[in-house]
Amino acid sequence: MAIELAPSILSANFARLGEDAKAALDGGGSVLHVDVMDGHFVPNITIGPPVVASLRKALPNAILDCHLMIENPDDFIPAFAEAGANWIAVHQEACVHLNRTLQLIESHGCKPAVVINPATPVHTLDEVLDLVHHVLVMSVNPGFGGQKFIPGALHKIKTLVEVRESLGLGFRIEVDGGVSLETVGEVVRAGAELLVAGNAVFGKGDIRENARKLLQAARSAALTHA
Ligand code: DX5
Ligand code: ZN
């Protein structure tokens, strides 16, 4: 499957969010990753539906990939869909009725996805893999940008590739946390296709160039995929 870059706006300058997001897309990002945190499920607070609505207005054609790190996501899915989210990902750990929540996302016209924290085994997802557009493997503990990549994510990505193959499914595999020029090669060789990157794109230097170089490194690693 094609390798795509999903710049995470968490590390953008929120005072010029539209321009930063545009620069990341100009550099080759094809999906904008939007980190939603509630101060309960994770120890940080970020943004809600009004910011998604503003992004939708500023970037009418962008794919908005909303990563909900919140408790009770069912209460907010309609508002994110209404605001213009395309993809909505919920944490396995936050959903008592995961099957129902994924169906709720679909019923609001968005692509459903599920996320697992570093301590959550891949096989906890076996019964919902046929319902999701993608699986997001966290390679840091969620809550903050700029953390160090946790290598245990690699075997989880490889397991997902195998399970997808054995079940004949088509979900995509996304990775989030600590993806940089140093780690992107092993992430892609493990089988991840959607690469979230915050700090590596928006942290320092030119956003467009950062995105371009990261995507180029990812695509050349994909060519050496075992
Ligand atoms: C962390 C967020 C990530 C974060 C990744 O909780 O889910 O999307 O922005 O940031 P980097 O790429 O800086 O690790
Ligand atoms: Zn995220």
Side-chain angles (χ1 to χ4, degrees), residues 33 35 67 69 176 196:
H33 186 82
D35 286 308
H67 174 192
M69 287 161 273
D176 184 5
V196 176

Side-chain angles (χ1 to χ4, degrees), residues 21-224:
K22 263 190 204 124
L25 296 176
D26 283 353
S30 41
V31 172
L32 265 193
H33 186 82
V34 180
D35 286 308
V36 177
M37 306 187 189
D38 66 353
H40 295 278
F41 181 69
V42 288
N44 197 4
I45 299 177
T46 56
I47 59 168
V51 175
V52 173
S54 297
L55 281 170
R56 169 53 65 226
K57 219 169 152 191
L59 302 162
N61 301 318
I63 296 174
L64 301 179
D65 169 24
C66 294
H67 174 192
L68 304 190
M69 287 161 273
I70 63 176
E71 288 180 358
N72 305 316
D74 292 23
D75 295 348
F76 297 94
I77 285 164
F80 280 101
E82 176 71 17
N86 299 92
W87 303 351
I88 297 182
V90 291
H91 271 259
Q92 185 271 2
E93 304 85 4
C95 299
V96 179
H97 302 289
L98 181 56
N99 179 299
R100 177 187 286 154
T101 300
L102 294 169
Q103 289 188 52
L104 181 68
I105 295 169
E106 179 102 47
S107 75
H108 280 85
C110 298
K111 302 276 188 212
V114 66
V115 193
I116 44 172
N117 279 334
T120 305
V122 167
H123 287 295
T124 57
L125 303 181
D126 285 357
E127 303 301 327
V128 297
L129 290 175
D130 59 335
L131 302 176
V132 297
H133 169 263
H134 63 277
V135 174
L136 173 48
V137 176
M138 289 308 300
S139 40
V140 295
N141 286 296
F144 304 93
Q147 301 182 78
K148 195 170 174 305
F149 183 81
I150 298 173
L154 296 173
H155 79 83
K156 293 164 83 171
I157 294 168
K158 288 178 192 154
T159 303
L160 277 166
V161 172
E162 285 163 19
V163 173
R164 178 173 64 189
E165 170 90 37
S166 71
L167 299 177
L169 294 173
F171 62 83
R172 303 186 72 191
I173 302 172
E174 186 174 39
V175 63
D176 184 5
V179 174
S180 66
L181 284 173
E182 288 72 47
T183 56
V184 75
E186 50 188 351
V187 161
V188 165
R189 283 189 292 271
E193 300 127 359
L194 296 166
L195 311 170
V196 176
N199 195 49
V201 172
F202 297 102
K204 58 175 193 302
D206 184 75
I207 295 170
R208 228 174 253 99
E209 267 304 283
N210 293 341
R212 197 186 61 74
K213 282 190 185 138
L214 190 58
L215 189 58
Q216 190 180 49
R219 290 193 169 145
S220 50
L223 297 175
T224 60

